Amino acid sequence: MPVLRSDPGADSEWSCPDHGPIRPLWRPGEASYSVFTEHLGASRGFPTYLPWPMRPGWTVSDFGVVGTAQDRSALATMTCSSGAADPDGPIDVLVVAEEPGTGLGARCAGLIGMGPGSEVGSGPPSARVFVDGKSIPLWIASTSSSDREFDRSVVVGEAGGRWLWLVLRPAAALLQLRDDWSLRDVSHLGPSLLELPFGGPTPQW
């Protein structure tokens, strides 16, 4: 699994006792516009997805990137949008885009292993989401073997040759994935980023 790191500008060797040499995970201590620009700099050339348009009252509460600003070769990005919806109350929507074998999506989902299970891509999809205008099928990833128990639904698909993970908490929030639900790569959004609301409690994963 990628490991936690707080400095996007540093470069060093990182190693996991279970997986050997790895790339570091940079995740800020607090979500803000200025720090989000650092995230986009470290993940240049790699998509960063957010629900779009952002719903009224929702905020960007967390984000991260696997890689460093030095070599500009990110392997994964993560965002979390937090808000409320009746009757589910508070909701977190984590979106991860990653190269296969990176492991960030599985970590955010609380799953064992580095990727989704074999059920992904088997049979009809459980949901769909529009990614930059293209309909992407998603399959439920089983959480039954996870050693971390928390209320969530996990769906996984493929977008642009990379895994696309959505981790929704609580599990009932999966019902929020309506046919018109969409994601947008905000890495090239420009001035519109100034309108994004940041803040709220940092989700635990």
Side-chain angles (χ1 to χ4, degrees):
M1 293 286 184
V3 296
L4 185 64
R5 187 176 180 84
S6 59
D7 180 4
D11 235 341
S12 61
E13 295 296 326
W14 287 81
S15 180
C16 171
D18 295 323
H19 303 101
I22 56 174
R23 298 290 299 280
L25 164 66
W26 173 69
R27 184 186 181 198
E30 182 178 355
S32 68
Y33 170 78
S34 61
V35 184
F36 193 62
T37 60
E38 294 183 52
H39 162 92
L40 295 178
S43 59
R44 186 173 299 173
F46 203 96
T48 292
Y49 293 119
L50 281 171
W52 199 266
M54 291 284 289
R55 300 180 182 184
W58 282 58
T59 63
V60 180
S61 56
D62 197 11
F63 44 87
V65 56
V66 175
T68 66
Q70 298 292 335
D71 55 19
R72 309 288 189 184
S73 57
L75 296 177
T77 58
M78 176 277 299
T79 65
C80 181
S81 303
S82 301
D86 294 331
D88 300 312
I91 292 176
D92 290 329
V93 179
L94 286 88
V95 182
V96 176
E98 68 175 6
E99 298 291 354
T102 304
L104 180 60
R107 175 176 170 177
C108 291
L111 303 182
I112 298 173
M114 298 290 283
S118 59
E119 66 270 18
V120 175
S122 177
S126 303
R128 285 183 176 271
V129 64
F130 282 93
V131 176
D132 291 334
K134 181 179 179 181
S135 180
I136 302 296
L138 303 170
W139 287 264
I140 292 178
S142 174
T143 60
S144 61
S145 62
S146 173
D147 59 358
R148 292 175 54 198
E149 295 299 329
F150 60 95
D151 187 16
R152 83 283 196 199
S153 290
V154 181
V155 289
V156 187
E158 180 269 325
R162 303 180 177 99
W163 286 125
L164 177 68
W165 298 71
L166 275 72
V167 181
L168 303 103
R169 302 188 302 202
L174 182 62
L175 299 176
Q176 298 292 321
L177 287 182
R178 303 183 300 272
D179 291 340
D180 59 348
W181 211 81
S182 63
L183 302 173
R184 183 171 182 178
D185 177 13
V186 299
S187 61
H188 306 293
L189 202 54
S192 297
L193 289 175
L194 290 169
E195 301 177 5
L196 282 177
F198 292 87
T202 301
Q204 300 300 311
W205 50 270

